[in-house]
Amino acid sequence: MHSTIELDTIVALATVPGQSAIHVIRLSGPDAIKIVNKVFKGKDLEKQAGHTAHFGTIRQEDGTIVDEVLATIFYGPRSYTGENTVEISCHGSQFIADQLLQLFMQVGARYAKAGEFTQRAFANGKLDLAQAEAVADLIAADSHASRDAAMQQMRGGFSRDIKKLREKLIHFASMIELELDFSEEDVEFASRDDLKELIYELQKVIRALIDSFSMGNVLKNGVPTVIAGKPNAGKSTLLNALLNEEKAIVSEVAGTTRDFIEDEINIGGVTFRFVDTAGLRETQDRVEAIGVQRSYEKMKKASLIMYMFDAASSTIEDVKAEVEALEALGVPYILVANKIDQLSSELSKEFDTFNEHLLKISADKEIGIEELKERALHLVNLDKVQSGNTMVTNARHYQSLRETMKALDDVINGIDMEMTGDFLAIDIRSSLHHLGEITGEVTTDDLLENIFSKFCIGK
C-alpha cells in the first residue's frame, strides 16, 4: 500500500447533485455489501457473486420503501477502489438520494471526503498518483484532445515512461551505494562513463517531457487566443461569427471594446479560449488607454494571435508596420484581412502576395471563417498529440521533472569534478526522489491531501 487508510466504509453520491433520470450512490469499504444488505429487500447480497446487479427496494427500519433500486456489487480487489464496493442506482430525485445517503450512514457508513474513493484506489495499488490525477482531468475534459491526453495518462502511458527512467537510475544508484560499503578499498562498481551516458539519455527523455508541457497545458486548459487589431477592424464581429452568437458589442464607434470579452469554442476537438481585446491605438481616453495596455499584455501571454486589419481602409505600408510589431512578440499569429467583400480585385491581389500568414475574410458576411478555424487548428500542431506521444499536462509533474533535470545536472557536474561516490549518491537519490513524487513512490500526507481534496466527493 502507498499509504495508510481507514478501514471503515464510506458512502457518497457519485452523480451530479440535483434532479436527473437516475442517481448513483457508491459505497466502498470492508462492510459495503453488509451495510447495503441491512436495508435492501430482494436477494441476499452477501451471497451473490461479484460484478452482478440485483433489483430490489431500500427500506427504512419501519418497512417504509424509500425507493426501488438496482444494486451492483463488486468484491475487492476487483473493484475501482480495490475494496468491497456497491453502487446503488436509484431514481434521480435529490430528495430520494439524500434519504438513501442518510439511511446508509445510520446503518454504519461514513460520508466520504473529497476524492476519497480515488485515494483508496491509489492506496490499494489500483492506480499510481499520476493515474489518479488523470481521473480528475478526465472528468474535467471538455474536448477530444484533453480527453485523449487524460485517458493516455490514466491508462498508465506517462507512468510507464517515468518508471523506466527510475529503474535505469536505480541500478546505478545501487552500484554507487555499494561502492560506499567498500570505500576503504577504492573499488569502482559503477563506471563513471556509463553513468554519464545514462544520464544524458535520461535527460533527453526528460527534456522532451518538459518541452511537451506547453502543448499539454494548452490541451488541458484550452488555447489562449487573442483577437487583436486597430479599433473598428471588426474584432468583435469576428468573435461573434466564431461563437455564432452576439457575445461582443458591435458598433461603428471606434474603441467600443474597452475591456476583454472571453469565450470558448471547440475546433476539431481542441478548445480555444478566445479573447476580444480593446483596439490598439494611441488615445487620450484614460480608460481606453488602460484597455490598450492590457491588450498588449494579453497578446504577449497568448498561444495564438489573430491580428485583424480593415483591408478596405488600410494600405500595405500601414499593415507592414503593424506586422513588424506583431512579429517582435514571438507569438504564432494569423494575419486576418477583414472586409474583403469591400475590396477591389487589384488590391485583393496585392494582399495575396503580401504575407504568408495572411488570410482574407469578411467577418460580417461570415466569409472565410471556416478556413480561419482550420488555420488556427493547424498552428496548434496537433501532430504531436495524435501520434500518441506522452504529453505532460500537470503542473506538479512539470515541476518535478524540472527538479529531476537539475539533480541530474548536478550528477554530471560531480562526475566532471571527480567527486567521490557519496556525493554522487546524494544527487542520484535526489533525482529518484523527484521522479518518485510523480507516480507516488515518494509522497507526503500534505501532498496527498492537496491532490485529492480537489476531486469531487463521489470520486
Side-chain angles (χ1 to χ4, degrees):
M1 284 192 181
H2 292 91
S3 62
T4 303
I5 57 171
E6 300 172 55
L7 295 177
D8 56 357
T9 297
I10 56 175
V11 64
L13 185 65
T15 44
V16 178
Q19 187 173 322
S20 61
I22 64 168
H23 273 309
V24 176
I25 293 172
R26 174 183 284 166
L27 296 93
S28 180
D31 296 328
I33 300 170
K34 181 180 178 181
I35 286 171
V36 174
N37 209 37
K38 289 179 182 178
V39 293
F40 181 82
K41 297 302 176 185
K43 292 182 180 178
D44 185 343
L45 296 180
E46 293 185 86
K47 295 180 180 178
Q48 306 309 311
H51 292 77
T52 56
H54 307 278
F55 178 78
T57 58
I58 300 287
R59 306 191 183 211
Q60 294 178 343
E61 191 176 353
D62 62 4
T64 302
I65 296 175
V66 179
D67 196 16
E68 293 182 336
V69 303
L70 197 66
T72 309
I73 60 177
F74 306 87
Y75 289 98
R78 296 183 61 217
S79 70
Y80 175 72
T81 60
E83 304 173 329
N84 289 350
T85 302
V86 183
E87 291 184 352
I88 301 292
S89 300
C90 64
H91 289 96
S93 158
Q94 187 61 48
F95 173 74
I96 290 173
D98 288 342
Q99 278 201 312
L100 291 174
L101 286 168
Q102 186 177 356
L103 186 57
F104 290 135
M105 286 188 279
Q106 286 172 354
V107 293
R110 169 178 64 78
Y111 194 64
K113 301 171 188 172
E116 192 169 1
F117 291 94
T118 302
Q119 186 166 3
R120 289 187 175 208
F122 164 70
N124 291 323
K126 303 295 288 186
L127 302 167
D128 65 31
L129 200 52
Q131 289 174 299
E133 287 171 298
V135 171
D137 290 344
L138 188 60
I139 292 170
D142 58 3
S143 68
H144 288 297
S146 57
R147 179 206 62 194
D148 291 348
M151 184 66 75
Q152 202 255 10
Q153 183 175 318
M154 191 180 76
R155 294 177 68 84
F158 179 51
S159 298
R160 282 192 294 273
D161 289 346
I162 295 301
K163 284 173 182 174
K164 284 178 188 175
L165 295 175
R166 285 193 93 236
E167 285 169 6
K168 290 179 179 179
L169 202 52
I170 284 170
H171 171 70
F172 267 94
S174 61
M175 293 296 100
I176 294 287
E177 298 283 356
L178 191 59
E179 285 181 16
L180 301 182
D181 293 336
F182 293 89
S183 56
E184 294 180 4
E185 300 179 28
D186 195 26
V187 179
E188 188 178 276
F189 290 100
S191 164
R192 299 304 187 257
D193 289 339
D194 289 348
L195 177 58
K196 209 169 180 180
E197 188 177 329
L198 170 68
I199 289 172
Y200 285 141
E201 180 190 335
L202 297 182
Q203 286 187 318
K204 183 180 178 181
V205 176
I206 291 170
R207 191 172 290 111
L209 290 172
I210 289 172
D211 290 344
S212 75
F213 178 66
S214 57
M215 174 64 70
N217 192 46
V218 158
L219 293 181
K220 180 178 175 180
N221 300 309
V223 183
T225 305
V226 169
I227 302 174
K230 287 186 175 180
N232 219 21
K235 299 183 298 299
S236 297
T237 305
L238 174 59
L239 178 64
N240 289 336
L242 288 165
L243 299 174
N244 201 24
E245 61 178 271
E246 288 286 327
K247 184 78 178 180
I249 303 167
V250 179
S251 169
E252 292 299 319
V253 180
T256 306
T257 307
R258 291 184 171 180
D259 212 328
F260 307 108
I261 299 170
E262 298 194 24
D263 215 324
E264 297 180 351
I265 183 174
N266 189 295
I267 302 175
V270 178
T271 299
F272 284 77
R273 290 191 289 109
F274 281 100
V275 182
D276 176 20
T277 59
L280 304 175
R281 67 169 179 176
E282 297 292 329
T283 178
Q284 299 301 313
D285 186 311
R286 183 171 173 273
V287 175
E288 188 183 347
I290 293 171
V292 170
Q293 181 58 38
R294 288 180 179 172
S295 294
Y296 280 113
E297 291 170 6
K298 287 275 185 183
M299 288 168 70
K300 290 175 185 176
K301 295 176 181 177
S303 293
L304 176 64
I305 297 171
M306 291 183 179
Y307 190 85
M308 292 189 72
F309 66 92
D310 184 343
S313 62
S314 300
T315 66
I316 296 288
E317 288 68 30
D318 290 338
V319 180
K320 278 182 179 177
E322 293 171 46
V323 168
E324 284 179 14
L326 184 62
E327 291 185 339
L329 296 174
V331 177
Y333 71 91
I334 304 170
L335 187 61
V336 182
N338 190 28
K339 305 183 185 179
I340 58 157
D341 53 312
Q342 301 175 28
L343 275 185
S344 66
S345 58
E346 265 185 44
L347 195 54
S348 181
K349 287 177 183 176
E350 266 192 78
F351 279 123
D352 281 339
T353 58
F354 165 59
N355 186 293
E356 64 177 338
H357 300 288
L358 185 131
L359 184 66
K360 295 186 297 184
I361 72 162
S362 171
D364 186 44
K365 305 290 184 186
E366 297 193 6
I367 298 170
I369 300 301
E370 290 306 312
E371 191 176 349
L372 179 59
K373 290 179 182 179
E374 289 172 12
R375 184 80 65 89
L377 195 60
H378 174 72
L379 284 175
V380 171
N381 190 15
L382 273 184
D383 292 343
K384 293 180 182 177
V385 186
Q386 292 168 344
S387 65
N389 293 339
T390 300
M391 193 76 59
V392 177
T393 62
N394 186 298
R396 187 183 72 81
H397 302 165
Y398 172 72
Q399 183 59 33
S400 292
L401 288 168
R402 284 173 56 87
E403 295 289 346
T404 302
M405 185 67 89
K406 181 178 180 300
L408 291 175
D409 282 338
D410 291 340
V411 176
I412 293 290
N413 292 334
I415 293 172
D416 290 341
M417 295 171 65
E418 298 184 352
M419 285 186 173
T420 56
D422 51 345
F423 285 105
L424 293 178
I426 292 171
D427 293 324
I428 292 174
R429 280 196 294 266
S430 178
S431 303
L432 289 168
H433 174 88
H434 293 303
L435 285 174
E437 283 181 326
I438 295 173
T439 53
E441 278 95 345
V442 178
T443 60
T444 64
D445 289 340
D446 288 342
L447 173 64
L448 296 180
E449 175 66 24
N450 181 53
I451 290 171
F452 290 109
S453 64
K454 296 173 184 174
F455 280 61
C456 52
I457 298 292
K459 197 61 183 178

